[in-house]
Amino acid sequence: MWGMSETPPESPDFDAMARDIAEVPAVEVIVTVAVNLMSAAAVKLGLTEEGDKHKDLDEARKLVHALAGLLDASTTEISSFHAAPLRDGLKSLQLAFREASLVPDEPGKGPGEKYTGPVYG
């Protein structure tokens, strides 16, 4: 913690951040968030070059489930041009999760399957 004689840490310029985000279309925000969720899930599934170093299936389950919920909620808001590759990526992550699990979930009970229905290889 900084003392009375020290300079406070520089705070972010929230007005500039708000102006910047105001210029971004909603579809772009949704797609960006989805891609970030996909990337984080891939890391937690051990699908990156570092392999199992960051593997954590509990964390992966949460990320895949959140991604499925986001895609389900935004299906009518984003075009199939954007939605189709995101759905394909989600299915790939769901299959990777199933393969990585020592005790696979029952069909329809895996991460995100509440929104997508059962995923089969």
Side-chain angles (χ1 to χ4, degrees):
M1 178 113 192
W2 52 278
M4 297 287 282
S5 62
E6 297 177 36
T7 307
E10 201 171 306
S11 62
D13 183 354
F14 291 111
D15 290 335
M17 291 169 64
R19 281 191 303 275
D20 290 344
I21 200 70
E23 297 172 12
V24 180
V27 170
E28 190 174 325
V29 173
I30 292 167
V31 170
T32 300
V33 169
V35 169
N36 284 331
L37 286 168
M38 291 175 113
S39 298
V43 169
K44 297 297 183 178
L45 284 167
L47 301 176
T48 61
E49 289 180 12
E50 295 179 351
D52 290 346
K53 183 178 178 184
H54 301 290
K55 189 173 183 177
D56 183 333
L57 293 184
D58 184 52
E59 291 289 301
R61 176 183 296 277
K62 293 170 187 168
L63 293 163
V64 171
H65 190 76
L67 173 63
L70 174 64
L71 294 182
D72 182 59
S74 61
T75 297
T76 60
E77 306 303 322
I78 61 177
S79 68
S80 60
F81 174 79
H82 294 291
L86 294 174
R87 282 193 303 267
D88 290 345
L90 170 60
K91 182 176 181 181
S92 294
L93 291 169
Q94 289 172 311
L95 290 171
F97 184 91
R98 187 169 297 284
E99 289 176 16
S101 298
L102 295 176
V103 180
D105 295 312
E106 294 288 322
K109 301 293 183 185
E113 291 183 9
K114 168 183 176 179
Y115 301 106
T116 63
V119 175
Y120 301 101

